[in-house]
Amino acid sequence: MKKTSKGFSVIEILLVIILVVLVGGVGYSVYHRNHKSQAVANQQTPTQPLPPADGTTQSIDSLVAQDAGSESSINTKYSNDDQSTVQGTNGSTADLGGAYNESSF
Amino acid sequence: MNRPFRQFKLGAIGAGLVFSLTIFTPAMTLAAPATPKESPFCTNLPNTISKVSTDISNLKSKMTAERSKLDQQIAAGRAKWDQEIKNSRAKWDQERQGYFLKLEAKATTDAQKSAVKTYEAAITAAVNIRRTANDAARTTYYAGVDSAISNQRATVDGQVATFTGSVNSAESTAQSSCAATPSSGPDIRTTFQAAMKSARESYTAARKSDGNIKDQVKQLAQTRDASFKSNDATFDASSKAARDALKAAFKSTNI
């Protein structure tokens, strides 16, 4: 009797599983990185509820303090970005040191 | 003519020919000296020099492009920074006006109303003074970072000039040596390789030794943040003074 083989072989199934795991792993790491950066961004600019507007100097003090805190958060966020940007300047200058391989002359 | 004489004549002519050939052939070869064979290194040297020049030029162009991109990124980031600060301030100014209105509602006498107005003006002035001082600190930070970047670029440009000068010198020496003794390729090559290696390693070492701009920028940021803190302390003192004056006017600590 002739044996008919339909479906996938063991190797094909294993390859598919490996591929799915790889794609899933990459996707998770991208999601995790984006989620983490969003969480850091949210942490840096927290949105506090405003103090009660009860006509007291205390409420005005609290409001002005939140004003200062908000501006401080903005400064921190952009200062970190600025420093990161500035640091990314040395790649091409270092490359010049590998302009040639003298042993190939 | 008798036969012996003819044989003698033929012999003399033949000897003369042989003599001529033996004399003049070496003379002709000596008159045109032999050209020494050019070594493969010297033959390929123009191509080598051209390739090195092209590669260095491309990397210098890449460096220029990177600098331009960085300048744009920094400018864009600062523009966003300044705008977000401006938007935040506008928002908090509006909120503060609402709170002032609530406070004004508590003033019943002319003296109290005047005291409230004085308080509001003092708080507003203190807020504006803090903001102006913070803006100055931020501007000083920007200028410091720009200066650090500019200084670093000038240093790098000097190092690149030294590097390309050394490369050009090594190439010129190799070219001259090949022109003088084209067959001495192996020796010229060794000298050329050593000079090029020295140029490259000197540049790399110089780049490592002049430090990273990161530390300078960090220091500038710390100085700026210290100014912010100081400005906050100044504001707190002004705010307290205004508050105490208002409470005295109301003769109440609940205001």
Side-chain angles (χ1 to χ4, degrees), chain A residues 19-73:
Chain A
L19 194 64
V20 167
V21 166
L22 277 172
V23 170
V26 167
Y28 175 74
S29 69
V30 169
Y31 164 78
H32 183 68
R33 193 164 43 237
N34 286 342
H35 186 68
K36 191 178 172 185
S37 66
Q38 185 62 41
V40 168
N42 286 341
Q43 212 172 16
Q44 287 178 349
T45 54
T47 50
Q48 284 180 305
L50 293 177
D54 55 10
T56 62
T57 55
Q58 187 180 2
S59 65
I60 292 172
D61 286 347
S62 297
L63 187 76
V64 173
Q66 280 193 28
D67 173 2
S70 172
E71 193 163 310
S72 176
S73 295

Side-chain angles (χ1 to χ4, degrees), chain B:
Chain B
M1 191 183 296
N2 58 9
R3 197 172 169 188
F5 181 73
R6 191 164 43 189
Q7 283 176 345
F8 171 75
K9 219 167 51 173
L10 285 171
I13 292 168
L17 279 171
V18 168
F19 178 75
S20 301
L21 282 169
T22 50
I23 296 295
F24 289 115
T25 303
M28 282 193 298
T29 54
L30 281 170
T35 309
K37 193 177 172 187
E38 191 176 59
S39 65
F41 172 76
C42 288
T43 306
N44 289 331
L45 187 60
N47 290 338
T48 302
I49 289 172
S50 175
K51 186 176 184 309
V52 168
S53 294
T54 302
D55 289 346
I56 289 178
S57 177
N58 288 342
L59 286 169
K60 283 165 80 172
S61 297
K62 185 181 168 190
M63 194 168 71
T64 304
E66 198 176 89
R67 285 178 175 179
S68 177
K69 184 182 168 189
L70 175 72
D71 291 341
Q72 288 170 12
Q73 283 178 324
I74 290 175
R78 288 176 185 176
K80 277 183 75 177
W81 190 347
D82 293 343
Q83 187 59 47
E84 197 161 322
I85 292 276
K86 190 177 170 185
N87 293 345
S88 171
R89 288 174 177 177
K91 171 198 152 189
W92 289 107
D93 285 346
Q94 199 173 11
E95 294 288 350
R96 197 167 61 248
Q97 288 309 312
Y99 280 63
F100 283 164
L101 287 174
K102 294 285 184 183
L103 180 63
E104 286 167 11
K106 287 197 170 181
T108 52
T109 66
D110 288 344
Q112 287 177 350
K113 286 177 185 174
S114 175
V116 166
K117 287 294 178 191
T118 303
Y119 169 78
E120 289 174 6
I123 292 296
T124 302
V127 166
N128 289 337
I129 287 169
R130 181 177 63 189
R131 287 174 176 176
T132 302
N134 283 353
D135 288 346
R138 208 163 58 252
T139 303
T140 300
Y141 165 77
Y142 289 164
V145 169
D146 291 345
S147 177
I149 291 172
S150 178
N151 289 341
Q152 192 211 35
R153 286 178 180 177
T155 301
V156 169
D157 288 345
Q159 290 165 354
V160 170
T162 301
F163 170 64
T164 52
S166 300
V167 167
N168 291 340
S169 175
E171 289 170 350
S172 294
T173 302
Q175 283 175 319
S176 302
S177 300
C178 278
T181 51
S183 60
S184 303
D187 293 336
I188 300 169
R189 178 172 177 258
T190 302
T191 305
F192 179 63
Q193 282 180 321
M196 294 292 270
K197 184 180 177 184
S198 172
R200 190 175 55 74
E201 287 180 344
S202 296
Y203 173 78
T204 305
R207 288 304 310 124
K208 282 182 182 171
S209 71
D210 71 359
N212 198 318
I213 200 173
K214 175 178 77 172
D215 294 332
Q216 296 175 55
V217 173
K218 193 175 176 184
Q219 182 60 48
L220 289 164
Q222 287 173 347
T223 303
R224 180 204 63 217
D225 292 345
S227 294
F228 287 163
K229 217 170 174 181
S230 170
N231 299 337
D232 285 344
T234 304
F235 170 82
D236 288 344
S238 302
S239 169
K240 184 177 183 301
R243 186 170 61 247
D244 290 345
L246 182 67
K247 286 183 178 181
F250 272 72
K251 295 183 178 57
S252 168
T253 55
N254 292 331
I255 198 69

